[in-house]
Amino acid sequence: MRPQRAVEMNAKEKRAAELKTERKRVKQKEKQLIRPLKHSIEERPIGVDKRKVFGHWEVDCVLPKMGYKRVFVTFCERKTRYYIVLKAESQTGKAVCKVLDQFMGLFGKRVKHIVQSFTFDNGFEFTNHFVINKVQEEYGILAYFAHPYSPEERGSNENANRMLREYFPKKTHFEYVNNDDIRRTLHKINKRPKAVLNYKTPRDVLRKKLHEIDRTFGYKKDLRHSKNANKH
C-alpha cells in the first residue's frame, strides 16, 4: 500500500472514531436533559412517614450468589408490613420494570387503593429512567428514593429481607427457584405475629384492609356480578 493512501485511511479511521465519540457524547447529554424527576425520601408526606396511611411500599433488590443473574425484587407495605417477593431476570432497569408490571397486576381493579407510592433503595436497578418513568408516568404514582447507604430508611423491607435470607441464604442462587417456592416462603413470613401490629400477622392485617376497600368501593359486588355472569 502506498504511504499516501495509508495516511488517508488512517485519517478516515481517526475521523470515524471521533464521530462515534461525538455521537456517544450527544446521546449522554440527551439522556441527562430528559432524565425524569427523582423524589427524595425527605419529600414523603408525614402520614406516610408515620405509617398512618395504607398503600405505600418499600422496594429493594435481594442479590444471589456472585456469578448468577436472577434476583429477587422485594416489596413491603409500610403500615401492614405485608411482604411480597417477585423474581426478576436480572438486576437491570428493564427487568425491574417487568416485575413492577407483575406486582401492579396482582391487585386488579383495587390497585389504585393498594399502591399509592414506592420508596426505592438507591441502587442503579431503580434509579434509572426506565423505572422512574414506568412508576411516575405510566402508573401515575410517586417514586421516592432513600439516601445512599441508608437501609434503615426502609426498615420494614430490610427486616423482611433478613427473614427471607433464612430460607435463601446469601451463598445461594435463585436460578431454579419457582413461584411455589416463593409462595410457601412468603406464607411463613407473613404469618409471623408482630409486636408493632399488636401481635397480629401481616397477612391478617392486610386481609382486613382489603375487605374494607372492597366494602367501601363496591369491589365485592363487582366480583359477585362477574361470577354470576360466568354461570350463565
Side-chain angles (χ1 to χ4, degrees):
M1 184 182 294
R2 294 179 182 178
Q4 185 177 356
R5 189 173 179 185
V7 170
E8 289 175 355
M9 288 189 69
N10 288 335
K12 286 181 180 180
E13 289 172 358
K14 185 178 179 181
R15 180 57 182 159
E18 289 173 350
L19 288 171
K20 187 177 180 180
T21 302
E22 178 66 15
R23 283 196 295 268
K24 189 175 181 180
R25 188 186 66 79
V26 170
K27 283 184 179 180
Q28 289 175 342
K29 192 173 181 180
E30 288 174 348
K31 284 182 180 179
Q32 291 173 353
L33 290 172
I34 62 172
R35 187 174 182 176
L37 182 63
K38 180 181 166 187
H39 295 278
S40 168
I41 193 171
E42 295 174 9
E43 299 178 47
R44 282 194 321 202
I46 191 167
V48 180
D49 278 341
K50 299 295 184 182
R51 304 176 189 270
K52 301 293 184 184
V53 185
F54 172 76
H56 299 273
W57 297 77
E58 298 174 359
V59 190
D60 194 15
C61 193
V62 173
L63 302 181
K65 180 180 179 180
M66 189 175 291
Y68 292 87
K69 288 183 64 177
R70 289 178 173 84
V71 301
F72 287 151
V73 181
T74 65
F75 303 80
C76 191
E77 202 283 314
R78 283 179 56 76
K79 188 175 182 181
T80 64
R81 274 66 169 190
Y82 193 80
Y83 188 55
I84 292 174
V85 177
L86 297 170
K87 191 166 77 167
E89 289 299 310
S90 65
Q91 194 184 3
T92 64
K94 289 184 178 180
V96 169
C97 284
K98 289 181 180 179
V99 168
L100 288 172
D101 282 340
Q102 193 178 346
F103 175 79
M104 297 294 280
L106 293 174
F107 306 110
K109 292 181 179 179
R110 298 182 294 188
V111 66
K112 61 184 178 181
H113 305 293
I114 297 173
V115 186
Q116 303 286 329
S117 77
F118 291 116
T119 299
F120 292 103
D121 174 69
N122 218 295
F124 68 87
E125 65 270 31
F126 302 120
T127 58
N128 56 79
H129 68 281
F130 296 112
V131 170
I132 300 175
N133 281 333
K134 168 70 73 174
V135 173
Q136 299 190 155
E137 299 298 326
E138 186 173 327
Y139 302 156
I141 61 178
L142 286 177
Y144 300 104
F145 289 87
H147 294 100
Y149 312 108
S150 302
E152 70 280 0
E153 293 181 341
R154 297 172 297 94
S156 299
N157 193 214
E158 286 294 322
N159 183 52
N161 287 347
R162 282 194 288 273
M163 288 188 277
L164 182 69
R165 283 298 192 188
E166 294 174 17
Y167 304 93
F168 302 101
K170 284 190 174 182
K171 292 185 178 180
T172 58
H173 64 78
F174 314 138
E175 302 298 303
Y176 305 113
V177 176
N178 59 40
N179 290 336
D180 287 336
D181 297 327
I182 296 172
R183 194 177 298 113
R184 283 191 294 269
T185 301
L186 292 179
H187 182 73
K188 294 174 183 176
I189 292 174
N190 286 315
K191 284 196 73 177
R192 295 187 187 186
K194 291 183 177 291
V196 294
L197 300 176
N198 293 321
Y199 296 97
K200 296 175 182 175
T201 68
R203 177 175 175 266
D204 290 339
V205 176
L206 180 78
R207 289 178 74 176
K208 183 179 179 182
K209 186 62 185 178
L210 294 183
H211 287 318
E212 289 177 10
I213 291 172
D214 287 342
R215 286 196 303 270
T216 303
F217 299 100
Y219 290 116
K220 276 197 170 180
K221 186 177 179 182
D222 291 341
L223 287 172
R224 282 198 298 271
H225 284 323
S226 64
K227 286 179 182 178
N228 292 333
N230 289 334
K231 288 179 182 179
H232 300 303

